[in-house]
């Protein structure tokens, strides 16, 4: 049974069939699920600063967790978000473990984002995705700042720090982020090439 | 409110790591991904983050990394539990190669011309023998892993090279056969119960 349509991104009915197939032990469904979302999971891992063998092991760990937790998905339309969340959690746990382990001089140095963040407009140049570059470029300067602090600043600024840099109250950061993400999503949709997949996520 | 949204969509609940959304200064990852991990994003925000990640065009995972994840489904088939124990990943080192020994002269040079390789990793030996296959231009690899039976449960061997990926099961004696290979550089993985042994380069 094939779960792949003309595109590499299953959606709607296909996605529901995919999860159901996995739960029934269908290997083809599982393989399609992995191959379809492998890039997403790997991107989360790499953007958390992992590379090489460490990224490969973490990738495996995420999919083991996905295999075990697939039955808990209640909204199958949220599959991609669920996988990204699992990946972010595993990456964070690994980072916490690493932070509490004594460092060895021979330890592999992980790939890290630039620790010295550039001005907000450099975000656009650093980003590899054409659509992302176009989307961020289309945002206001204020939104580009917010995107920079949330998506690219390797120092992981706290909400208080972000608020201080933006000159606003920390209480407003949540709503600022929500509005910015809404505009970013619209900009991503506008920047997507015309033949790009249309996600029918409910 | 956000937690309720996560529950409603079946998003994974926080596993006790920093469950209050507070931060550990020792962890450096993009703020938005930490918020994602901590369940601090609304469902629509999660979708936006996914869109951003998918549009990022970051490097794809290597095929062997993806294939390893695909294998999880095969381990879990027929109602069996997928392997959840943390693998000990070992990289095997070449300890013997018939091509590196002095070439025999006379009649001895004719017999025993097959390629034999031996690798070691964590006290486990992998003995490989490469011979001609029944198919012209193709090679057969016979292998033996020196692991004990508990470590051979649902064990497998996989090789990737110019002919693509070939996989085979390892039997209870540690033996396996991989057919249809061609000359060239390969990468091998031996999946045991408690170890994943990598042989980054096998030249056959």
């Amino acid at each position: 049974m094939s779960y792949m349509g003309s595109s590499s991104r299953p959606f709607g009915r296909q996605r529901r069939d995919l999860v159901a197939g996995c739960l029934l032990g269908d290997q083809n469904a599982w393989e399609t699920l992995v191959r379809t979302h492998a890039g997403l999971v790997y991107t989360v891992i790499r953007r958390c600063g992992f590379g090489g063998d460490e990224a490969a092991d973490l990738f495996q760990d995420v999919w083991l967790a996905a295999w075990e937790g697939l039955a808990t998905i209640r909204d199958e339309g949220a599959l991609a978000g669920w996988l990204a969340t699992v990946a972010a959690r595993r990456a964070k746990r690994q980072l916490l473990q690493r932070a509490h382990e004594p460092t060895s001089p021979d330890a592999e140095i992980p790939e890290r984002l630039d620790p010295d963040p550039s001005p907000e407009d450099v975000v656009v140049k650093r980003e590899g995705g054409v659509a992302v570059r176009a989307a961020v470029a289309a945002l206001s300067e204020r939104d580009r700042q917010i995107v920079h602090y949330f998506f690219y600043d390797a120092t992981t600024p706290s909400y208080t720090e972000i608020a201080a840099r933006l000159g606003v109250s920390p209480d407003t950061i949540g709503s600022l982020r929500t509005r910015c993400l809404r505009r970013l999503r619209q900009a991503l949709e506008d920047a997507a090439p015309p033949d790009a997949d249309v996600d029918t996520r409910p | 409110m956000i937690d309720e949204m996560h529950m409603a969509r079946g998003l994974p609940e926080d596993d006790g790591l920093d469950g209050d959304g507070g931060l550990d200064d020792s962890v450096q990852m993009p703020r938005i991904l930490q918020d994602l991990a901590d369940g601090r994003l609304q469902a629509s925000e999660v979708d936006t983050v996914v869109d951003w990640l998918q549009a990022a065009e970051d490097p794809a995972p290597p095929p062997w990394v993806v294939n390893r994840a695909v294998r999880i489904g095969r381990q879990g088939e027929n109602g069996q539990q997928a392997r959840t124990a943390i693998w000990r990943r070992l990289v095997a080192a070449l300890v013997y190669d018939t091509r590196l020994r002095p070439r025999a002269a006379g009649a001895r040079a004719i017999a025993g011309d097959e390629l034999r390789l031996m690798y070691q990793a964590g006290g486990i030996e992998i003995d490989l023998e490469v011979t001609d296959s029944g198919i012209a231009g193709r090679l057969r690899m016979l292998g033996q892993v020196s692991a004990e039976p508990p470590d051979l449960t649902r064990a497998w061997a996989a090789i990737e090279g110019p002919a693509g990926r070939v996989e085979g099961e390892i039997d209870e004696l540690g033996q396996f056969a991989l057919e249809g290979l061609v000359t060239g550089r390969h990468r091998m993985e031996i999946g045991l119960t408690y170890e994943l042994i990598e042989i980054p380069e096998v030249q056959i």
Side-chain angles (χ1 to χ4, degrees):
Chain A
M1 179 174 181
S2 172
Y3 293 88
M4 302 292 281
S6 56
S7 77
S8 61
R9 193 176 181 185
F11 30 82
R13 177 66 179 271
Q14 276 179 301
R15 185 169 42 215
R16 281 189 286 276
D17 291 347
L18 204 56
V19 174
C22 290
L23 294 175
L24 290 170
D26 185 331
Q27 286 185 36
N28 290 334
W30 172 255
E31 180 166 356
T32 302
L33 181 76
V34 172
R35 296 198 185 283
T36 304
H37 294 93
L40 170 68
V41 169
Y42 200 63
T43 297
V44 172
I45 291 168
R46 284 183 54 87
R47 295 215 169 204
C48 289
F50 294 96
D53 288 342
E54 214 173 9
D57 285 351
L58 201 46
F59 184 84
Q60 178 79 351
D61 192 31
V62 169
W63 286 107
L64 271 171
W67 173 267
E68 292 173 338
L70 212 52
T72 66
I73 296 181
R74 288 188 283 278
D75 178 358
E76 291 164 346
L79 177 60
W82 184 82
L83 286 167
T85 305
V86 171
R89 290 230 170 110
R90 296 283 161 162
K92 182 182 175 185
R93 183 163 74 179
Q94 187 72 15
L95 288 169
L96 282 167
Q97 286 175 352
R98 180 198 285 170
H100 294 105
E101 285 173 356
T103 53
S104 156
D106 299 327
E108 183 181 352
I109 299 171
E111 295 175 20
R112 291 220 59 86
L113 300 174
D114 185 353
D116 183 19
S118 308
E120 291 72 51
D121 56 349
V122 175
V123 166
V124 181
K125 294 173 186 167
R126 188 186 298 166
E127 182 59 67
V130 174
V132 176
R133 285 206 303 272
V136 176
L139 296 175
S140 69
E141 184 179 345
R142 175 79 152 187
D143 280 346
R144 282 205 301 275
Q145 284 182 320
I146 296 170
V147 166
H148 171 73
Y149 295 140
F150 274 92
F151 288 77
Y152 297 97
D153 192 334
T155 65
T156 320
S158 67
Y159 276 39
T160 306
E161 289 168 334
I162 294 173
R165 292 180 197 178
L166 293 172
V168 299
S169 163
D171 296 338
T172 65
I173 288 298
S175 56
L176 273 177
R177 181 198 67 199
T178 299
R179 288 198 293 273
C180 176
L181 286 179
R182 197 176 299 143
R183 288 189 285 269
L184 176 62
R185 188 169 199 199
Q186 183 60 53
L188 280 169
E189 288 175 8
D190 293 343
D195 59 345
D197 295 333
V198 178
D199 195 347
T200 58
R201 208 174 310 182
Chain B
M1 177 68 174
I2 292 174
D3 284 345
E4 287 173 8
M5 288 181 182
H6 276 70
M7 294 292 284
R9 304 187 96 199
L11 289 172
E13 295 172 39
D14 205 320
D15 44 15
L17 296 167
D18 205 15
D20 61 357
L23 297 178
D24 186 323
D25 289 340
S26 59
V27 174
Q28 291 202 335
M29 58 195 285
R31 167 86 269 156
I32 200 74
L33 294 181
Q34 192 159 147
D35 285 354
L36 179 68
D38 294 341
R40 292 170 67 113
L41 301 183
Q42 298 176 30
S44 63
E45 293 179 304
V46 172
D47 290 343
T48 303
V49 172
V50 167
D51 286 347
W52 164 63
L53 293 165
Q54 288 179 325
E57 297 179 22
D58 282 5
W64 62 269
V65 172
V66 178
N67 287 332
R68 197 187 286 176
V70 167
R71 191 160 254 292
I72 292 170
R74 296 180 197 163
Q75 290 169 347
E77 66 178 323
N78 301 325
Q80 291 179 314
Q81 182 72 23
R83 185 175 299 164
T84 53
I86 298 297
W87 270 329
R88 184 168 64 129
R89 186 166 48 75
L90 304 170
V91 178
L94 179 67
V95 293
Y96 180 73
D97 183 337
T98 47
R99 291 169 297 197
L100 300 180
R101 70 182 179 187
R103 192 155 184 86
R108 287 179 59 217
I110 299 171
D113 226 12
E114 70 277 2
L115 171 62
R116 294 197 68 172
L117 302 163
M118 184 182 285
Y119 292 84
Q120 283 183 342
I124 297 171
E125 291 182 350
I126 301 117
D127 196 1
L128 304 176
E129 181 178 318
V130 182
T131 62
D132 287 335
S133 165
I135 307 167
R138 296 283 175 159
L139 301 169
R140 169 191 297 130
M141 175 183 283
L142 302 175
Q144 169 109 40
V145 182
S146 69
E148 296 301 317
D151 211 7
L152 292 170
T153 306
R154 283 179 280 151
W156 50 272
I159 189 165
E160 288 183 59
R165 180 179 175 89
V166 180
E167 293 186 15
E169 300 302 318
I170 299 177
D171 68 19
E172 66 275 14
L173 299 175
Q175 297 174 334
F176 63 91
L178 301 171
E179 300 275 357
L181 310 180
V182 298
T183 301
R185 182 178 170 178
H186 294 71
R187 173 192 177 83
M188 275 193 81
E189 288 186 349
I190 308 287
L192 306 178
T193 305
Y194 305 111
E195 293 91 7
L196 178 69
I197 299 173
E198 292 180 14
I199 307 178
E201 183 175 345
V202 181
Q203 191 74 37
I204 64 172

